[in-house]
């Protein structure tokens, strides 16, 4: 049981590190790319939508601001990733109590996201 808890903590730690370091790399590379482009693509005050960012990434028309926005979005989705990792770990350990708690927290996060996007 103790090794299972240790493995779950390791996976949660990895998910948090992935979110934070991945977003840091994206934001730093977007900042460098924006500085190299030297004003050819000024930042706008419009908030991009996810479909705008997916469109830029799929078409290859990336700019530094879009990469920084992707880093911010990854950072904002890190709590979702952490809760999903915990939920998967608790379900695999067959821990019903903490699985239900993690599910409720995930549903709360999802509800807040849906409410804020409408």
């Amino acid at each position: 049981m103790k090794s299972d808890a240790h493995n779950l903590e390791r996976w949660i730690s990895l998910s948090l590190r992935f979110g934070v370091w991945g977003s840091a790399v994206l934001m730093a590379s977007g900042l460098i790319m924006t500085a190299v482009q030297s004003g050819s693509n000024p930042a706008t005050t419009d908030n991009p939508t996810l479909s705008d960012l997916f469109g830029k990434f799929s078409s290859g028309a990336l700019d530094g601001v879009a990469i920084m926005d992707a880093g911010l979005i990854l950072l904002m989705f890190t709590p979702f990733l952490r809760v999903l990792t915990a939920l998967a770990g608790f379900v695999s350990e067959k821990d019903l109590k903490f699985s239900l708690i993690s599910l409720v927290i995930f549903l709360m996060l999802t509800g807040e996201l849906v409410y804020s996007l409408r």
Side-chain angles (χ1 to χ4, degrees):
M1 177 70 179
K2 187 171 183 159
S3 66
D4 289 342
H6 181 69
N7 286 336
L8 179 58
E9 291 173 7
R10 178 178 287 152
W11 280 104
I12 290 172
S13 172
L14 286 173
S15 69
L16 290 172
R17 288 180 193 175
F18 170 77
V20 171
W21 284 106
S23 66
V25 166
L26 284 171
M27 287 189 276
S29 61
L31 184 63
I32 291 169
M33 189 175 185
T34 302
V36 168
Q37 290 174 347
S38 68
S40 64
N41 203 355
T44 63
T45 58
D46 297 335
N47 293 330
T49 62
L50 283 176
S51 62
D52 292 340
L53 286 176
F54 285 133
K56 285 185 179 183
F57 274 92
S58 64
S59 70
L62 288 175
D63 57 352
V65 176
I67 294 173
M68 285 189 285
D69 289 337
L72 287 172
I73 289 172
L74 177 60
L75 186 62
M76 287 187 280
F77 278 112
T78 300
F80 285 93
L81 182 62
R82 188 256 186 256
V83 173
L84 280 176
T85 304
L87 178 62
F90 291 135
V91 167
S92 70
E93 291 178 357
K94 296 178 178 61
D95 189 343
L96 183 63
K97 179 181 175 182
F98 285 110
S99 296
L100 289 175
I101 291 170
S102 296
L103 180 63
V104 168
I105 292 171
F106 179 74
L107 291 174
M108 288 171 60
L109 286 171
T110 304
E112 292 173 9
L113 178 68
V114 169
Y115 179 75
S116 68
L117 290 177
R118 61 175 190 106

